[in-house]
Amino acid sequence: MSVEARFRLGLTLLIIGLAMPAGVFLVPLTGWPAEIKAAVAGILFFGFEIMALPAAAVMGKENFDRILGKLFALLGRLKPSGEPGPVRHAIGVALFLLPFVPTYIMAYVPSWLPDSSPWRLWVNLAADAMFLTSLFVLGGDFWDKLRALFVRNARAVFPD
């Protein structure tokens, strides 16, 4: 098999792996027993991880690394740059902290938002969207601050 054909086959496997999690939404529509549904949904949910290994084996390490490099470069360009102004910073911090409110409500006063409530999913999705939005509103410098939380030797430097 040619190098180009191996690359295309590996890329096809990666694309299938990326599409597999969407199949999770179709599993409940089947008439299968609950155990089979759970197994199929789990396989579909982790489709990319499952397909990445054979894709890397087929296309070779060099091509796989090339694809991952381009993907990470694309994601790196999404990172906002610059320091936000005072209003943008205040909005970003509010968006960053507000998602904690429903978490505490569900933990300490579960009767306000019980598991059976149809609003629970929407509140959680809104909180997640708010949190992700805050990362973009606060800008790239904030991303570096978050990254510093996971670097043992990082130090905070406060402006005078």
Side-chain angles (χ1 to χ4, degrees), residues 2-132:
S2 72
V3 174
E4 182 67 22
R6 287 181 29 197
F7 174 74
R8 288 180 187 266
L9 178 60
L11 190 59
T12 303
L13 289 173
L14 283 177
I15 292 169
I16 290 170
L18 285 171
M20 284 174 70
V24 170
F25 298 111
L26 300 175
V27 172
L29 303 176
T30 66
W32 301 334
E35 298 84 13
I36 302 295
K37 285 183 182 182
V40 170
I43 290 169
L44 290 173
F45 185 76
F46 293 107
F48 181 73
E49 290 83 359
I50 293 169
M51 297 303 281
L53 185 63
V58 168
M59 72 171 55
K61 184 177 179 353
E62 300 80 23
N63 285 326
F64 189 73
D65 288 343
R66 185 175 67 168
I67 290 173
L68 285 183
K70 287 183 181 183
L71 179 66
F72 287 133
L74 175 69
L75 290 176
R77 281 188 265 150
L78 292 176
K79 175 181 160 183
S81 61
E83 184 176 326
V87 173
R88 183 175 152 194
H89 183 264
I91 291 170
V93 169
L95 289 172
F96 186 78
L97 295 176
L98 278 175
F100 291 108
V101 173
T103 304
Y104 280 101
I105 289 173
M106 286 183 266
Y108 293 109
V109 192
S111 61
W112 287 5
L113 203 55
D115 288 342
S116 61
S117 172
W119 285 98
R120 188 177 176 109
L121 172 67
W122 296 110
V123 167
N124 284 328
L125 288 173
D128 289 345
M130 230 186 298
F131 178 76
L132 292 174

